[in-house]
Amino acid sequence: MSEQQKPDSKGALLPEALPFFWAALDFTSTTQRLVVRAVVILFKQTGDAPILKQNKVKVDGQEKFAKLVEFLRKKLGREQVFVYLKEAFSPSLDERISVLFDAFGVDGRLVVNYALTPAWG
């Protein structure tokens, strides 16, 4: 074992000084996945859509955008809901929430507009 490495709790060797990009890695798992962070979602109604009683939720950043759409469908009791970011476009349902937050998050939250009829773009 060299001076620059030390064993972790499972006996694996880790560098003494981790590079910056390694700081987000979870070394307790054998797959070394990224640590999952929660993302705050703020729902804003548009047009004639009803206002949600609970308009702010915290979700796992690794979840797909489809989970938010399904949440809105259940809360609104509608099969069809139009969902937008930046009051302009609808992201892909397969997009990860953390990626959308990194690109379009404002003030520590991701603002999601919803409507019952097409509103933008």
Side-chain angles (χ1 to χ4, degrees):
M1 180 168 31
S2 72
E3 293 177 22
Q4 295 177 348
Q5 295 180 336
K6 63 179 182 177
D8 69 358
S9 61
K10 294 183 180 182
L13 296 179
L14 299 175
E16 188 72 36
L18 295 174
F20 176 75
F21 62 89
W22 284 21
L25 292 178
D26 175 11
F27 286 103
T28 59
S29 72
T30 56
T31 59
Q32 297 182 352
R33 298 179 300 139
L34 290 176
V35 175
V36 177
R37 71 170 193 260
V39 175
V40 175
I41 307 295
L42 178 65
F43 293 109
K44 288 190 173 183
Q45 64 89 331
T46 302
D48 63 346
I51 298 173
L52 294 174
K53 290 180 182 177
Q54 178 187 2
N55 68 343
K56 192 184 290 185
V57 296
K58 192 180 273 191
V59 297
D60 179 356
Q62 295 302 312
E63 293 291 340
K64 294 185 179 184
F65 191 71
K67 185 172 183 175
L68 293 181
V69 175
E70 187 61 33
F71 172 81
L72 282 171
R73 286 180 182 152
K74 286 180 183 176
K75 288 293 183 181
L76 298 173
R78 302 290 178 117
E79 186 60 33
Q80 188 174 32
V81 178
F82 297 89
V83 184
Y84 303 93
L85 294 182
K86 291 288 196 184
E87 299 179 350
F89 73 98
S90 295
S92 168
L93 295 178
D94 291 334
E95 196 68 55
R96 300 242 180 248
I97 294 172
S98 61
V99 172
L100 294 171
F101 174 77
D102 290 341
F104 305 107
V106 178
D107 295 331
R109 57 190 175 193
L110 181 64
V111 178
V112 176
N113 297 86
Y114 63 94
L116 301 180
T117 58
W120 294 288

